Amino acid sequence: MATRRCSSSNVPPAGLLAVPCLLLLLLAGVSNGQLQVGFYSNSCPGAESTVASVVRQSGSADPTILPALIRLQFHDCFVRGCDASVLIKGGAGGNNAEVDNSKHQGLRGVEIIEGAKTQLEALCPGVVSCADIVVLAARDAISFTGGPSFDVPTGRLDGKVSNLRDADALPDVHDGIDALRSKFRANGLDEKDLVLLTAAHTVGTTACFFLQDRLYNFPLPGGGRGSDPTIPPGFLSELKSRCAPGDLNTRLALDRGSEGVFDTSILRNIRNGFAVIGSDAALYNDTATVDVVDSYSGLLSNFFGPYFRQDFADAMVRMGSIGVVTGRKQGEVRKVCSKFN
């Protein structure tokens, strides 16, 4: 949307619309502090290409880091907003930072963000925030896994707070559909966003640690414990053969049969009962999310819509706008991503 300028050619006569014109000038000043595509085009022209290069090299050496970088943005943005608070390490007082919360179990990719930050500090000292690097790295990781390429607005500052208990608000593999919807709504996201962002599980793996309760300790209607009764018997046997009781470390694909390809297979698996983790399966327990899953699962959606790749990119941009910090009183550009300045 273009911004109308109050130049000498369009300033109204005295007394007529003078206040609205002043407001336009004030709003223009406010907009300069908001996110925008190409925010670093003048202050650090090589910012985005530098991040992309680091992500590409890291992904070439270890392809599993690409899904991890997507997860890293989700874990950052859903706690206090997209402010790089998840990168802060606990201080001398112990494990009291956000990242120390068990909800961040198995989080990877922090070293990739730090690597990009080191290069950017050499290139443009004190300019590019860690919060923006997290979002850019996730965007590039999506592209390098075969997903859509898209622009993301930048201009975030790094937050100045990182608390252990703040991460309690993160969605969890044990969450039912009501809890998931509530946590997404708290961040300004709806059921469509919930389905689309969950579909990031089209690439990547999970550890058996996150399946133990669903396979062996699921609360049953009669009061006992066992396996989630909604898992098809054949698939249950398959999962148990991969994840024995007490096995916490074995990894298996989140998108059964298509873990290496960015596509809608994850949604078809959810629809057909082959969701690996409970929170994915929960999407087929509510009419609103069922309708969204079904809308992208049909073979004709690629031709007539809805268009999964574009909608997924839009959902990532919306998530990247959660709780951003743009004011210097509330934020900073860290010199090192793991430490406040």
Side-chain angles (χ1 to χ4, degrees):
M1 179 177 178
T3 302
R4 180 184 174 187
R5 296 184 178 181
C6 294
S7 65
S8 58
S9 61
N10 59 27
V11 173
L16 294 177
L17 299 178
V19 173
C21 193
L22 176 61
L23 287 175
L24 281 174
L25 289 170
L26 291 173
L27 288 172
V30 172
S31 68
N32 289 336
Q34 305 306 307
L35 303 184
Q36 63 185 66
V37 173
F39 180 85
Y40 298 110
S41 58
N42 293 321
S43 58
C44 190
E48 296 198 19
S49 60
T50 297
V51 175
S53 177
V54 171
V55 173
R56 184 184 294 108
Q57 292 174 14
S58 301
S60 295
D62 177 12
T64 68
I65 202 63
L66 299 177
L69 288 169
I70 304 172
R71 183 186 182 216
L72 183 62
Q73 183 190 338
F74 181 89
H75 279 244
D76 184 39
C77 291
F78 263 71
V79 184
R80 302 190 65 85
C82 308
D83 64 350
S85 55
V86 73
L87 304 180
I88 294 293
K89 293 182 179 179
N95 298 330
N96 53 8
E98 176 188 319
V99 72
D100 298 314
N101 191 298
S102 61
K103 290 286 189 77
H104 292 305
Q105 183 86 16
L107 201 64
R108 300 172 60 214
V110 173
E111 72 283 1
I112 310 303
I113 307 302
E114 286 284 15
K117 177 63 171 175
T118 298
Q119 292 192 26
L120 288 170
E121 282 299 298
L123 186 67
C124 315
V127 174
V128 183
S129 70
C130 301
D132 276 342
I133 297 173
V134 169
V135 172
L136 290 169
R139 184 271 306 272
D140 295 332
I142 290 166
S143 176
F144 296 151
T145 57
S149 299
F150 55 98
D151 291 324
V152 292
T154 45
R156 299 164 189 79
L157 291 177
D158 300 320
K160 296 181 178 181
V161 177
S162 183
N163 291 324
L164 177 73
R165 296 271 63 92
D166 287 343
D168 291 343
L170 270 171
D172 188 270
V173 293
H174 303 103
D175 285 344
I177 189 61
D178 290 337
L180 291 170
R181 291 172 67 179
S182 175
K183 290 176 180 179
F184 271 69
R185 285 175 177 172
N187 286 291
L189 302 174
D190 60 16
E191 287 84 355
K192 183 177 179 180
D193 294 310
L194 169 56
V195 172
L196 287 165
L197 294 173
T198 299
H201 292 164
T202 182
V203 289
T205 62
T206 189
C208 286
F209 170 84
F210 295 106
L211 276 76
Q212 288 295 312
D213 285 347
R214 190 178 188 215
L215 297 181
Y216 304 107
N217 196 34
F218 192 87
L220 300 175
R225 296 274 174 165
S227 302
D228 181 351
T230 67
I231 305 175
F235 188 45
L236 178 61
S237 297
E238 178 183 329
L239 292 175
K240 285 187 171 182
S241 70
R242 298 288 305 280
C243 293
D247 180 355
L248 306 181
N249 299 317
T250 299
R251 303 196 69 85
L252 64 163
L254 284 162
D255 188 6
R256 178 177 180 260
S258 184
E259 64 272 19
V261 181
F262 191 100
D263 57 16
T264 56
S265 172
I266 182 66
L267 298 178
R268 290 191 293 275
N269 276 333
I270 290 171
R271 180 188 62 186
N272 296 330
F274 299 127
V276 173
I277 56 177
S279 54
D280 284 6
L283 299 187
Y284 224 66
N285 292 335
D286 180 85
T287 301
T289 47
V290 164
D291 289 346
V292 180
V293 170
D294 288 346
S295 71
Y296 293 109
S297 300
L299 295 177
L300 296 180
S301 67
N302 289 330
F303 302 99
F304 303 108
Y307 301 103
F308 170 71
R309 292 171 69 87
Q310 181 60 57
D311 290 351
F312 177 82
D314 292 344
M316 287 295 296
V317 171
R318 284 192 292 274
M319 179 175 68
S321 300
I322 296 173
V324 296
V325 178
T326 57
R328 287 285 179 171
K329 289 185 178 180
Q330 294 78 34
E332 62 186 9
V333 175
R334 294 181 205 146
K335 298 176 183 178
V336 178
C337 290
S338 61
K339 299 178 182 179
F340 299 122
N341 283 347

